[in-house]
Amino acid sequence: MTRLERQSFLGANSENILRSATVGIVGAGGGGSHIVQQFAHMGVGGYVIADPDFIEDTNTNRLIGGTLDDVAVARPKVDIAARLIRGLQPDARIVLVPVNWQDAVEDFKQCDVIVGAVDSFKDRDELERFARRHLIPYVDIGMDVHAIGGAGHLVTGQVILSMPGEPCLRCCGLITDERLTQEAQRYGAAGSRPQVVWSNGVLASTAVAIVTQILTPWFKGPPAFVFLDYDGNKGSITLNKRMAMLNGCACAHHPMDETGDPLFDIRIQQFRPRSAARNAVDPTITKPWWQRAWDWLWG
């Protein structure tokens, strides 16, 4: 029996598919650390992980793999993620981005799917626009805590699969112009950045299941659009009411004619395996598309 034999129901070739896959994870804190751990256990072979932060004492209530020794040396969260992966996948292909994800777009272009476990609506909006531009499935997770009068607090969250052409985070009502200008109010009334390990785990596990169904589906048909609500007080995950209304509707916020690298030309591209593409030194390939456009216009 192989190490991954118990998940063989994912398909006869699922082990190779997962080993060959590259997942992007933006945010290696509470929710992101769960995602890293689960992908490593499942045998995913490639990772691009972005988080500019270092572990702090207040992270230890939820950051999977983080220790007090890590706090003492202010270890980068991405290093903790890499250590966790290496413990299960010694030969994993790992690209660590200890800065903002926007500074590593060329690495994220190589991903088969991107999962966002970020705090801000601005990051969500930019991540989704990037993923759609480059035809990459994007899964968003997030939680919030709201005061409910004298009855305590309500823990809520969402998991959304955003695919090119399908309803987006704006279609779902998660991203609005008002929210983008009122970031300070995004965490409800329970204080700054409320997070707990169990709700992060539920949301992360749900996201990992969606990604797995995309990569190596265990039942008929990969999902095209998913919008799930989490109620931490009831311990339930349900379909958001908007999902039925939006299912099958084209996204009006991200037209399909706005996807793809503006300078991509299939006539002059050469096939290169992803590992080779990442190590390439050809400046016309490694430069961002906007810089290549500038060079083309003014060169």
Side-chain angles (χ1 to χ4, degrees), residues 3-11 14-15 18 41-43:
R3 187 174 71 82
L4 301 177
E5 182 70 23
R6 294 294 183 92
Q7 63 186 43
S8 60
F9 69 91
L10 296 176
S14 60
E15 188 170 339
L18 292 171
H41 276 286
M42 291 187 63

Side-chain angles (χ1 to χ4, degrees), residues 140 142 157-161 172 203 206-207 210 225-230 236-240 243:
D140 179 82
Q158 84 286 329
V159 181
I160 300 175
L161 168 62
C172 294
L203 295 167
T206 305
I210 292 172
F225 169 56
V226 177
F227 186 3
L228 302 176
D229 287 330
Y230 170 62
S236 65
I237 291 182
T238 56
L239 298 178
N240 184 281
M243 188 169 172

Side-chain angles (χ1 to χ4, degrees), residues 104-183:
V105 293
E106 294 302 316
D107 287 310
F108 279 100
K109 284 181 185 179
Q110 309 302 319
C111 295
D112 297 296
V113 62
I114 297 173
V115 183
V118 295
D119 292 328
S120 75
F121 291 115
K122 179 176 181 290
D123 269 332
R124 286 186 169 91
D125 188 41
E126 292 181 357
L127 260 175
E128 181 181 43
R129 286 193 282 118
F130 170 82
R132 290 202 171 217
R133 163 64 73 178
H134 298 288
L135 301 175
I136 303 171
Y138 172 65
V139 181
D140 179 82
I141 70 170
M143 66 159 288
D144 206 346
V145 180
H146 307 271
I148 47 178
H153 293 88
L154 172 64
V155 178
T156 65
Q158 84 286 329
V159 181
I160 300 175
L161 168 62
S162 172
M163 297 275 275
E166 299 292 331
C168 69
L169 301 185
R170 285 181 179 269
C171 295
C172 294
L174 182 67
I175 299 293
T176 65
D177 291 338
E178 182 180 7
R179 280 181 167 174
L180 289 172
T181 58
Q182 297 179 352
E183 288 282 355

Side-chain angles (χ1 to χ4, degrees), residues 28-29 33 36-37 49 53-56 59-60 63-71 73-87 94 96:
S33 64
V36 167
Q37 180 193 47
I49 306 171
D53 294 336
F54 301 83
I55 189 173
E56 299 176 350
N59 301 139
T60 57
L63 198 157
I64 302 302
T67 67
L68 296 180
D69 288 340
D70 293 327
V71 173
V73 298
R75 197 176 309 281
K77 292 180 180 179
V78 294
D79 288 353
I80 296 172
R83 182 181 65 200
L84 194 157
I85 295 168
R86 294 290 185 205
I94 305 175
L96 299 182

